[in-house]
Amino acid sequence: MSKKVFIRTFGCQMNEYDSDKMVDVLHAADGYEKTDNVDEADLVLFNTCSVREKAQEKVFSDLGRIKHLKAKGVKIGVGGCVASQEGDAIIKRAPYVDVVFGPQTLHRLPELLSTQRQTNKSQVDISFPEIEKFDHLPPARREGVSAFVSIMEGCSKYCSYCVVPYTRGEEINRPLDDVLLEVAQLAGQGVREINLLGQNVNAYRGTMGDTSEICDFATLLDYVSDIPGIERIRYTTSHPNEFTPALIEAYAKLPKLVSHLHLPAQHGSDVILAAMKRGYTSLQYKSIIRKLRVIRPDLHLSTDLIIGFPGETDADHAKTMKLIEDMQFDNSFSFIYSPRPGTPAASLQDDTPHDVKHKRLLQVQKAINDNTHALSDAFVGKTARILVEGPSPRSRAESPELMGRTECNRVINFAASTQAMTRLPGQIIDIAVTQRMGFSLRGELALTDAPELAAA
């Protein structure tokens, strides 16, 4: 009987990717299989994120809830960015934790667990061993039609509010050949959509074979687009300072590159952007988007916004609201600034009351939700092209449903026949959109030449 691992993932898509790789590493080394039931797990891992306030306290609270599992021999591990920040302090406060490892050392997890079993002592490894992590990962395993591929680690931007350079290290790029091999392996397993991942993904500069040549991000997109089986390409998270003319031109050359972009703005005020050490102005950000929308008029845009950064005035906030109006953001990850220990911004004076920040956040979220709903309403009565991912979460035997995504990341659910449930996943098809349902859409198959796939 195979051993089971339960992983709870916090934070960004980089962490989601890392959690998948933990499963791959543990499966290859010790035969572990993933479980969603913590009570049947032999190993429980928390893959943590330190972006939000009180992240460390959240981790210790969650650890306390599973401490009782130790009595039946369950091993407990803490990985990710909080692990990288706290290190040995986690063991001092929660001595029942067996292993602590950082984002760059997840590949050493089987070794750490083995040493812990032999010595009966907690193991900690939060080092930054350059590109070694990728060299030691087993071949990609994936069930489904969409997959993430990490192309780089870390960040060298050092924005004043951000802990990432301290928890994930400086930017390290995977060689081009390694990235393309992983994408090709995934395509061979039926993956049709690739999402290239990096903390600062468009800063990618990878070595090309045994040459001294360096591949930039726009060139990488070109290579990935040529891999048979890959029909859609996404990427996250990008930085405005790395949005080169070649990357903008890629939207004209590569039809597989989706008309959806997540480009963090963080704020609309140049004063605040300078205090954040973002390195661009609001006008420069808008200029990138305007150039892209000349090429792709249907481009949908999502972003990150920090509300209530130290020194933010009503006038600064108004500029963020103006940016939202001008850019028509489709979605955003927006939250109130919280100081992260060890970052330059943590020492800045902050006189704005929390209730003022909260009101500003609600204004931002309402404006973007209004945009989202308006853009969704525009789909109704039209035909949308989706990549079918699989059964809808609400699918039942008596009323089977499939779901898929548009290029702009809209989820569309639709009724399907039993035959369609097996034949359509992985296919790109047309759907007649009939209704907006909150943040998703409903539709009907528009396959006039294949009526047998319609709902029974």
Side-chain angles (χ1 to χ4, degrees):
M1 186 175 176
S2 63
K3 291 181 285 187
K4 301 288 182 67
V5 56
F6 173 89
I7 303 181
R8 186 171 182 191
T9 306
F10 302 85
C12 67
Q13 287 168 320
M14 291 291 293
N15 270 15
E16 295 284 355
Y17 176 86
D18 283 348
S19 291
D20 287 344
K21 292 304 175 186
M22 290 175 202
V23 176
D24 288 349
V25 165
L26 290 165
H27 176 79
D30 297 316
Y32 277 92
E33 296 291 346
K34 185 179 179 182
T35 178
D36 293 325
N37 182 358
V38 69
D39 291 322
E40 69 177 24
D42 302 285
L43 170 64
V44 176
L45 300 175
F46 289 149
N47 190 9
T48 62
C49 173
S50 57
V51 167
R52 299 298 176 88
E53 189 176 12
K54 300 179 181 175
Q56 289 89 336
E57 293 308 310
K58 172 70 173 165
V59 170
F60 288 113
S61 173
D62 288 337
L63 284 170
R65 290 192 184 95
I66 63 162
K67 180 181 178 181
H68 67 281
L69 296 175
K70 291 288 292 184
K72 61 177 187 177
V74 173
K75 299 295 182 183
I76 297 174
V78 179
C81 293
V82 171
S84 185
Q85 275 189 303
E86 297 294 301
D88 290 312
I90 292 176
I91 304 299
K92 290 177 183 175
R93 186 165 168 184
Y96 52 87
V97 171
D98 298 292
V99 291
V100 176
F101 55 100
Q104 306 288 12
T105 51
L106 67 86
H107 62 287
R108 297 178 180 172
L109 194 45
E111 177 187 341
L112 292 171
L113 288 166
S114 175
T115 304
Q116 191 282 329
R117 281 191 293 268
Q118 293 169 17
T119 63
N120 202 30
K121 293 181 180 179
S122 301
Q123 301 296 306
V124 178
D125 188 344
I126 54 170
S127 58
F128 292 92
E130 297 292 320
I131 203 73
E132 177 192 312
K133 165 182 166 180
F134 293 109
D135 290 342
H136 288 76
L137 293 179
R141 292 193 308 154
R142 185 69 183 178
E143 293 180 6
V145 301
S146 183
F148 292 99
V149 173
S150 184
I151 66 171
M152 64 183 298
E153 281 278 352
C155 184
S156 303
K157 286 290 185 284
Y158 288 91
C159 299
S160 66
Y161 55 83
C162 186
V163 296
V164 167
Y166 311 104
T167 58
R168 285 186 176 267
E170 294 272 330
E171 289 169 7
I172 300 169
N173 301 283
R174 290 181 73 184
L176 172 66
D177 290 354
D178 288 4
V179 174
L180 297 183
L181 176 60
E182 184 170 348
V183 174
Q185 288 172 338
L186 290 165
Q189 296 173 41
V191 168
R192 295 293 170 260
E193 178 181 273
I194 289 294
N195 197 328
L196 301 173
L197 274 183
Q199 219 68 49
N200 191 16
V201 70
N202 54 335
Y204 176 80
R205 302 291 186 272
T207 56
M208 301 179 72
D210 297 326
T211 72
S212 58
E213 291 187 61
I214 298 296
C215 175
D216 66 7
F217 185 62
T219 305
L220 171 63
L221 291 174
D222 212 351
Y223 279 110
V224 172
S225 182
D226 285 339
I227 293 177
I230 299 303
E231 300 295 335
R232 284 184 177 176
I233 304 170
R234 303 182 187 274
Y235 58 87
T236 194
T237 296
S238 52
H239 194 289
N241 283 356
E242 305 290 349
F243 230 94
T244 63
L247 180 52
I248 292 173
E249 181 61 24
Y251 283 84
K253 295 194 308 181
L254 304 176
K256 293 182 182 179
L257 186 57
V258 299
S259 290
H260 180 267
L261 172 65
H262 183 77
L263 185 62
Q266 303 299 6
H267 212 277
S269 164
D270 292 348
V271 172
I272 300 299
L273 287 171
M276 290 177 169
K277 292 186 167 26
R278 288 293 286 173
Y280 55 84
T281 65
S282 177
L283 182 60
Q284 288 170 326
Y285 181 93
K286 291 177 183 179
S287 176
I288 293 167
I289 304 307
R290 285 169 180 153
K291 289 174 183 175
L292 286 170
R293 282 179 168 155
V294 168
I295 298 169
R296 298 277 187 95
D298 59 341
L299 181 79
H300 286 236
L301 180 66
S302 62
T303 196
D304 296 345
L305 294 168
I306 297 174
I307 313 304
F309 192 80
E312 181 189 76
T313 64
D314 286 340
D316 292 322
H317 175 63
K319 289 175 182 176
T320 293
M321 297 304 295
K322 183 66 166 65
L323 181 70
I324 293 169
E325 179 185 346
D326 290 346
M327 296 292 93
Q328 288 294 293
F329 293 118
D330 198 342
N331 190 16
S332 81
F333 298 101
S334 50
F335 50 89
I336 294 173
Y337 168 76
S338 60
R340 308 314 302 134
T343 60
S347 62
L348 295 177
Q349 186 172 346
D350 185 4
D351 300 323
T352 307
H354 182 79
D355 65 327
V356 172
K357 296 178 183 180
H358 185 64
K359 288 176 183 176
R360 290 174 182 172
L361 177 65
L362 293 179
Q363 284 182 325
V364 164
Q365 292 177 336
K366 181 183 185 304
I368 291 176
N369 285 344
D370 287 348
N371 286 348
T372 305
H373 290 152
L375 290 164
S376 290
D377 287 339
F379 278 94
V380 178
K382 297 178 181 176
T383 298
R385 201 152 182 79
I386 66 166
L387 172 62
V388 182
E389 295 186 4
S392 164
R394 51 187 286 178
S395 182
R396 301 291 181 269
E398 63 276 11
S399 55
E401 287 190 3
L402 285 167
M403 61 81 65
R405 290 180 194 272
T406 64
E407 280 199 21
C408 64
N409 225 23
R410 282 291 188 282
V411 171
I412 302 182
N413 298 291
F414 60 98
S417 66
T418 304
Q419 188 178 11
M421 295 293 290
T422 57
R423 287 182 56 182
L424 287 184
Q427 303 297 313
I428 294 179
I429 63 170
D430 288 329
I431 292 289
V433 181
T434 58
Q435 193 177 5
R436 171 170 69 83
M437 304 286 290
F439 291 92
S440 64
L441 299 168
R442 286 200 63 77
E444 300 172 349
L445 277 166
L447 296 176
T448 54
D449 59 340
E452 72 277 7
L453 291 179

